[in-house]
Amino acid sequence: MTKLYWLLLALLPLAAAQAQDPEKGTKMDGYSLFRPVPRDSMRELHPDRPGITESPFTIDPGHFQVEGDFLRLLTGRIEGERHRTWRVAPLVLKVGLTDQTDFQVALESYTIEKEWPQNEPQQRHSGFGDVTLRLKRNLIGDDDETRVAMAVTGFVRLPTGGSEGVGGSEMGIVVPINYHLAENWELTTQLEGDRAYDREDKQHYFQFVPGITTEHTFTDALGVYGEVVGRWNARKNEWQATFNLGPEIKVGENIQFDMGALLPLTSNTEREFFVGITVRI
C-alpha cells in the first residue's frame, strides 16, 4: 500500500499537467507519436545530459533520442573503504509522445565494481543494473519562444538488477526550470525528491536533490557547462555535493558529444569521469 501511495504521488503532477489544454499556435500542433514532426521542423536538440540537472524540454512527437555514456568511472573513499566502479554504456531511450510529453527508459548497463575494505581482501562485483521508467511533461516554454521553460518528470526505478542494482524499488519527482539569461548563456535549476532505497540497511528513505547549472555556448558546435548538485539523505541527515563541469560538442543538429568530471565538495563523495553521446533520430 505504501509503494502504491508513492507511485500515485509521483505520477499525480503529470496527470494534472496532461489534462491541461496544450498551447495553441505552435509548430508542433497536430503531430503525435504516429504522425511525426517533419525533420525540417524539429526543435533544437536539448539533451538531459551531461549534467545531473535535467532539461525541461521534451522530444519532438514521433521521434526518438538515445543518450548515454560510452564509459563512466566512479572512484573514491567512503567511510574508510576505497571504491572503484566502471559503468559500460548506460543508456536512456526516449520517444516523443505529444508536443509536450515524452516517455523514457533508463538502462543501467554492465557494471564492474571493486572495493578495498579495511583489513580485508579486495572484493569484486559485476552485473547489470536496474531499469527506470520516466515520463516528462513540459509545462511552459517547450517551443523555445519564451525565456523560461519548466517541466515535471515522474520516475519509477524497478529492482531488476542483481548485485549491482539498488535492491528495491525507488520513485520520485524532478522539476527542472531553464532560464535564457542572454544569447549565449543559460541557467537551469532543479528540485528533485526521491523515495530512495538503502540496500545495506534494507529500508527506504527520503532523498532531496537540488541542482543548478550554467551553460555557455562559444559557437554553434562548442559549449561548456558548470554545475553544483547536492544530495540530502533525510534518514542520515547527511549532505553530499559535487561540482561538475565539461565541454559539449555538437555535430550537426542531431548529435552531441560530451565529457566531464564530477568533483566532490563534501567528504564520503565519489569522483566521476565520463564520456558520452546524444543521438536524435
Side-chain angles (χ1 to χ4, degrees):
M1 191 68 174
T2 302
K3 292 182 179 180
L4 178 61
Y5 167 79
W6 278 96
L7 176 60
L8 293 175
L9 183 63
L11 296 180
L12 181 60
L14 300 176
Q18 187 70 37
Q20 297 176 356
D21 291 333
E23 297 180 11
K24 303 300 181 182
T26 68
K27 63 184 178 182
M28 296 295 109
D29 282 350
Y31 297 108
S32 65
L33 174 61
F34 302 107
R35 186 170 181 265
V37 174
R39 296 193 68 83
D40 59 0
S41 298
M42 293 173 67
R43 296 172 291 200
E44 183 180 350
L45 181 67
H46 287 289
D48 284 333
R49 59 176 303 114
I52 296 173
T53 304
E54 299 181 7
S55 163
F57 303 98
T58 58
I59 310 304
D60 289 324
H63 291 272
F64 298 86
Q65 190 161 302
V66 180
E67 303 180 17
D69 298 329
F70 293 112
L71 194 65
R72 180 175 291 253
L73 169 65
L74 295 79
T75 182
R77 189 180 298 272
I78 299 178
E79 297 180 353
E81 293 187 5
R82 183 183 169 196
H83 295 255
R84 180 184 298 161
T85 302
W86 292 95
R87 293 179 179 170
V88 182
L91 297 175
V92 179
L93 311 177
K94 302 181 179 182
V95 58
L97 302 181
T98 72
D99 61 332
Q100 293 173 276
T101 308
D102 66 39
F103 177 71
Q104 310 172 10
V105 179
L107 307 174
E108 298 176 11
S109 301
Y110 195 72
T111 298
I112 303 172
E113 182 178 7
K114 292 183 179 181
E115 301 177 356
W116 289 266
Q118 292 181 334
N119 303 319
E120 294 184 22
Q122 179 191 105
Q123 298 180 7
R124 184 183 185 276
H125 310 278
S126 62
F128 290 90
D130 299 324
V131 173
T132 303
L133 307 179
R134 299 165 53 90
L135 187 67
K136 180 191 289 188
R137 172 71 178 183
N138 175 271
L139 303 180
I140 56 174
D142 216 5
D143 53 10
D144 266 333
E145 295 180 359
T146 61
R147 295 178 64 90
V148 178
M150 177 180 178
V152 59
T153 301
F155 71 86
V156 177
R157 180 172 289 109
L158 307 176
T160 56
S163 62
E164 296 307 309
V166 296
S169 62
E170 296 184 333
M171 56 192 67
I173 298 174
V174 184
V175 181
I177 304 174
N178 175 271
Y179 308 86
H180 286 274
L181 299 176
E183 182 179 359
N184 299 320
W185 287 93
E186 292 187 11
L187 177 71
T188 305
T189 61
Q190 175 175 293
L191 296 177
E192 177 181 342
D194 304 338
R195 183 177 184 260
Y197 185 76
D198 189 315
R199 187 185 186 100
E200 293 184 359
D201 293 338
K202 294 182 172 53
Q203 59 180 295
H204 287 91
Y205 64 94
F206 176 74
Q207 178 177 254
F208 178 56
V209 188
I212 183 169
T213 182
T214 300
E215 295 182 81
H216 176 65
T217 55
F218 297 100
T219 68
D220 291 340
L222 178 62
V224 64
Y225 81 98
E227 176 184 48
V228 176
V229 175
R231 295 181 184 273
W232 179 56
N233 184 321
R235 186 171 60 85
K236 295 182 179 180
N237 193 25
E238 178 182 75
W239 274 100
Q240 291 183 329
T242 58
F243 173 66
N244 316 327
L245 76 166
E248 302 167 326
I249 304 170
K250 287 188 177 181
V251 181
E253 298 181 351
N254 299 306
I255 299 177
Q256 176 177 295
F257 293 94
D258 58 64
M259 62 185 68
L262 284 68
L263 307 176
L265 299 176
T266 56
S267 59
N268 293 328
T269 303
E270 292 182 314
R271 293 176 174 83
E272 298 186 32
F273 306 93
F274 64 87
V275 177
I277 188 173
T278 296
V279 178
R280 181 170 61 178
I281 304 171

